[in-house]
Amino acid sequence: MSPSADLSNPHSLPTHSPRLGQNKWKRKRERGKVVWYRKKQFKGILGLVCLVGLFFIFNGFMLLRLQLDDETSGNKDMSVQNSPSISVSIKDGLKKIGKGKMPRKDTYDRMLALAAHSLAKNKHEPKELWQGPFVPASAWRPCADHRDWNPSEGNNGYILVTANGGMNQQRVAVCNAVVIARLLNSSLVIPRFMYSSVWRDVSQFSHIYQEEHFINYLTPDIRIVKELPKELQSLDLEAIGSTVTDVDVPKESEPSFYLKSILPILLKNRVVHFVGFGNRLAFDPIPFQLQRLRCRCNFHALQFVPKIQETGALLLQRLRKHATHPGSLDHYLTGPFAEPNLKGKVGHAVKASRYLAIHLRFEIDMLAHSLCEYGGGEEERKELEAYREIHFPALTHLKNTTELRSPALLRSEGLCPLTPEEAVLMLAALGFRRKTHMFIAGANIYGGRSRLTALTSLYPNLFTKEKLLSATELKPFMNFSSQLAALDFIACTASDAFAMTDSGSQLSSLVSGFRIYYGGGKMPTIRPNKRRLADIFMKNNTIEWKLFEQRVRKAVRQTKHVFERPKARSVYRYPRCKECMCLTE
Ligand SMILES: *[C@@H]1O[C@H](CO)[C@@H](O)[C@H](O)[C@H]1NC(C)=O
Ligand SMILES: *[C@@H]1O[C@H](CO)[C@@H](O)[C@H](O)[C@H]1NC(C)=O
Ligand SMILES: *[C@@H]1O[C@H](CO)[C@@H](O)[C@H](O)[C@H]1NC(C)=O
Ligand SMILES: *[C@@H]1O[C@H](CO)[C@@H](O)[C@H](O)[C@H]1NC(C)=O
């Protein structure tokens, strides 16, 4: 569960717009850009071949991928009750839990049995599992809080933003709006969050973030007000042309766009209202200090409200088995609640038990959007099709009218989200021991609990926030998917190791960025290269465990190196850049 992740573009910029159906013309305009971007990712071999060959089809299709609203169901009802449950036959006394009517033979039975066998040997964990690339990474230090300018007086009118998506997408929109306000010398009104039928969450900014801290922390940068001045409140913004939707602003617009197209509206009407505002500001080129402001907003100005901090801290304490020392990031996430209550425990320090957090982005919206198949046969196909028709009509239309790549091809290219079975095989191959404590975020798993059978039978110490918190403790958060997502965000960010199953997910992306920014090189993130993994999984019928282990470890090791933010990539996800972090030495 987590209103968080986006859909499966493998190295995605978190880009998306929920107004899929309305963006036809925009999409055409953006084509050139996205194609260029995809080319870069594939760097030769397959990518180029595909791009040339399938130019047209591919194009429209990838655009949709990139545009999709990247947030999942927070606490959407488990919309899928009838999916086939898997039956995992695991040797060595592991339990067979699979319930459900028609157990189906799973593709990965053989591999899962090998994994169980290997875990039963209780081998030593490779050391680097819980370590980051400390030496190169620790040279980067947070410094987005350094300022080198005078406050903007904000005289050029007011910027209003109503951000769409789930919590993580909104967070990005808020920080982008802060930058726009500074760019246009305007005042920012505390952002609003759009109610969506998917998230069904009425939470507003002040339900999630500390409003006073936000305003005060950014005072040296921009002027932030709680409401529009009276005389502007009565204006019909739409009628006077001050409402600006995502159709009016090209995705990843550069500052020049705002100066040319938005500033005149602002000067004329004194107010501009951005509606949606998903990924409407480019990452490059952006003036140095504005980029730094963006990081300052994300890493320093947005703090969760005490209600979330307190419950988040409780979650962390239980995950760590009541350790007497908080983890190194806890303080940034849970503020004053990070210090555990030491009453009655003073004097003997309890060693913290470490935990691995996994964001399993295996939720129905993601799967429907991926156009992949997940072994559930006709029933699954129908269900995902139906979901697509309701939520992604543009995708259904494209599928009806164009020859798209087959599910098998998508899978072989690593464009499908990892299944829970694939995720557990990856973790076992990496060497995480059976007794490892695991926290699962994004737990509205498609197919329900039974789909987690492989995971729970190989790793019995599996926790979700629903399992760690009592019903009473969770009650204040029920029906607020964004606030629940904030709890997942805290548990993932503070974890001793974090594994994502889809690098395009917005939650995973923001969490990784936080771990880089505040982690001092000690907070490892496992980021599978799905394309390589797909190659390895293709051999599921024959590959020996030893070789599987070697290949998976190699594929994951290669993603751990430390690098500076690539051009045009998100500063929220890759804060290692001179604007956000400073190189020591
Ligand atoms: C904002 O203010 C600065 C400093 O006063 C000025 O240099 C800049 O041109 C102004 N920009 C706009 C868009 O008004
Ligand atoms: C796509 O085709 C199916 C039947 O093949 C039809 O039911 C559906 O309405 C079509 N959807 C769109 C958006 O064209
Ligand atoms: C959540 O919403 C549902 C339906 O809208 C309602 O029945 C339920 O009581 C709500 N739960 C809480 C804890 O407010
Ligand atoms: C498992 O192996 C078979 C045979 O090699 C292959 O056809 C199938 O696609 C593989 N499954 C996955 C999910 O890769």
Side-chain angles (χ1 to χ4, degrees), residues 150-153 156 181-186 258-259 263 266-267:
N150 295 319
S152 153
E153 289 176 7
N156 286 350
R182 171 80 200 198
L183 173 72
L184 301 180
N185 289 344
S186 52
Y258 289 92
L259 292 170
L263 185 61
L266 196 59
L267 294 176

Side-chain angles (χ1 to χ4, degrees), residues 181-194:
R182 171 80 200 198
L183 173 72
L184 301 180
N185 289 344
S186 52
S187 299
L188 179 71
V189 181
I190 287 284
R192 297 174 191 167
F193 296 152
M194 196 185 287

